[in-house]
């Protein structure tokens, strides 16, 4: 979270998207993967929330993506005028990225871009 804390990277979220993060990170399989207890996850989410910029989607572009669950990510990016979308799921966002003119990067691709 160093780049976020330094404000070199500003994550955009809507309430719905942040609630999705919270839900996913608290699932038993995810907790087994990351090894954090619920209290630690909650503390990390509070810290992340304090560093994010809230975006209130005022219109919907749906449907644009093959996975309806990804639509809220695209809506936040468009309404928040994001410079890019950062995801491991690049394939599902590729067409929308071309259509709306922004890059879709993996986390590693973002770090490469920032550290150039």
């Amino acid at each position: 979270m160093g780049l976020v804390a330094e404000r070199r990277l500003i994550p955009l979220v809507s309430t719905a998207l942040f609630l999705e993060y919270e839900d996913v990170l608290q699932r038993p399989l995810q907790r087994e993967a990351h090894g954090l207890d619920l209290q630690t996850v909650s503390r990390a989410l509070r810290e992340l929330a304090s560093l994010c910029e809230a975006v209130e989607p005022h219109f919907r572009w749906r449907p644009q993506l093959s996975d309806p669950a990804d639509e809220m990510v695209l809506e936040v990016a468009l309404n928040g005028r994001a410079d890019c979308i950062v995801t491991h799921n690049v394939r599902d966002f590729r067409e929308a990225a071309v259509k709306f003119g922004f890059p879709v990067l993996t986390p590693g691709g973002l770090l490469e871009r920032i550290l150039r």
Side-chain angles (χ1 to χ4, degrees), residues 2 13 15 18 35 46 59 116:
V13 294
T15 300
F18 199 84
R46 279 194 307 274
F59 50 86
R116 275 189 217 159

Side-chain angles (χ1 to χ4, degrees), residues 23-45:
D23 176 60
V24 170
L25 289 172
Q26 292 179 1
R27 292 178 186 165
L29 284 175
Q30 287 296 318
R31 289 189 29 238
E32 186 177 311
H34 58 59
L36 303 174
D37 61 44
L38 288 175
Q39 187 176 19
T40 304
V41 170
S42 182
R43 190 171 48 248
L45 286 166

